[in-house]
Amino acid sequence: MSAMLEEMESLLEALENPTAQETGNRTYYTGILWGQEVVLVFSRWGKVASTTTAAHLILEHKVDRILFSGVAGAIDPSLRIGDIVIGTQLYQHDMDARPLYPQFEIPLVHRSYFETDDSLRYQLLQAATHFVQSDPLSETTKKEFRITSPTVKEGAIASGDRFISDTEDATTLKRLLPNVLCVEMEGAAVAQVCADYNTPFALIRTISDTADDTADIDFMTFVKEVATVYTKGIIYKYLSN
Ligand code: ADE
């Protein structure tokens, strides 16, 4: 699953024997990708869109695991644009059923985050680490986005139906959820679906911005020149291993 059309399209180029199924405003592409049977889909943005897409993958396509790739805004000061975060604990930062439940707690589930699958996460970590070490970006792209030596980190990610582009909002979120490294709009929703259906899940995000008032700058260029290159390279390494 990908939250960006461009990332999904970059994988689609390599898909062998593709067949497309259109339903519920999504197109699910089935085929063989670097030796493995896969379904590729652009989830669209936000928790609802990604939830329905994940449920369809599990119930109709009977997938045995889900990998989600996309971009994220950093709220941890150690992260730079072009770094990669592999999600561990996934929070819904807009979940707030107070006073019935503590802020962030998912009602009736007795928890405020879902975890990704250990084994999938480890494999993605290996693939991403090898990939960034191969120095895959052109000098022009690195210069354009001031990327020097990208790192791969594992850590908590928060999702919500809000593009965060305000320093105060980012600071508040970091204060409330100190272990969260970055924010995006789908991961924790897909994680909840996967938990409900016992489906292993992993999440990989490339840092595209710092969730402040510079967050919209060159966003689409970044997705085309960096995120799609990363996704394709990392998924290739993951699947071919
Ligand atoms: N995805 C990429 N950057 C983001 C941000 N700043 N807020 C939410 N989702 C994002």
Side-chain angles (χ1 to χ4, degrees):
M1 289 177 75
S2 170
M4 302 302 299
L5 180 63
E6 293 78 2
E7 284 178 281
M8 202 274 302
E9 284 173 344
S10 77
L11 295 173
L12 198 54
E13 285 165 8
L15 191 68
E16 291 171 48
N17 306 326
T19 55
Q21 184 218 9
E22 280 184 35
T23 183
N25 269 332
R26 310 284 183 280
T27 309
Y28 297 82
Y29 297 95
T30 306
I32 305 292
L33 189 64
W34 299 306
Q36 307 287 334
E37 201 181 331
V38 299
V39 186
L40 301 177
V41 61
F42 162 47
S43 68
R44 301 192 170 193
W45 291 17
K47 294 199 302 176
V48 174
S50 57
T51 297
T52 57
T53 312
H56 185 84
L57 281 172
I58 295 168
L59 296 174
E60 296 296 322
H61 290 276
K62 316 272 184 228
V63 298
D64 61 6
R65 71 198 67 181
I66 292 183
L67 297 186
F68 194 107
S69 76
V71 291
I75 62 164
D76 189 90
S78 71
L79 288 169
R80 301 273 167 274
I81 287 173
D83 286 349
I84 291 175
V85 178
I86 313 242
T88 52
Q89 294 130 352
L90 309 179
Y91 293 86
Q92 296 176 33
H93 67 69
D94 52 1
M95 176 57 75
D96 190 352
R98 288 177 295 174
L100 307 180
Y101 293 94
Q103 188 176 13
F104 308 120
E105 185 169 317
I106 318 288
L108 311 180
V109 184
H110 310 295
R111 48 166 61 216
S112 50
Y113 58 82
F114 288 93
E115 282 175 292
T116 50
D117 180 75
D118 288 344
S119 156
L120 274 185
R121 196 175 63 234
Y122 177 74
Q123 291 167 52
L124 266 189
L125 183 68
Q126 299 285 103
T129 306
H130 286 148
F131 180 72
V132 297
Q133 279 167 358
S134 70
D135 194 16
L137 300 176
S138 71
E139 291 307 316
T140 322
T141 300
K142 284 195 280 188
K143 209 165 153 193
E144 185 178 357
F145 294 101
R146 301 209 192 109
I147 297 172
T148 47
S149 46
T151 62
V152 182
K153 286 195 167 72
E154 283 186 299
I157 296 180
S159 313
D161 284 323
R162 194 148 55 101
F163 187 89
I164 299 195
S165 55
D166 180 90
T167 309
E168 210 179 307
D169 287 350
T171 312
T172 305
L173 208 58
K174 185 68 180 162
R175 182 170 50 76
L176 294 172
L177 293 170
N179 63 334
V180 165
L181 298 181
C182 60
V183 288
E184 38 84 308
M185 300 175 69
E186 298 85 15
V190 178
Q192 186 170 349
V193 177
C194 287
D196 282 344
Y197 288 99
N198 257 322
T199 304
F201 173 61
L203 172 65
I204 182 159
R205 292 283 182 176
T206 303
I207 299 302
S208 56
D209 57 80
T210 41
D212 53 17
D213 42 21
T214 63
D216 58 340
I217 291 171
D218 276 342
F219 187 74
M220 293 320 293
T221 318
F222 180 87
V223 168
K224 283 200 186 83
E225 291 182 13
V226 183
T228 56
V229 176
Y230 276 17
T231 298
K232 194 169 183 177
I234 294 167
I235 299 295
Y236 168 74
K237 282 212 182 290
Y238 166 76
L239 288 179
S240 53
N241 279 339

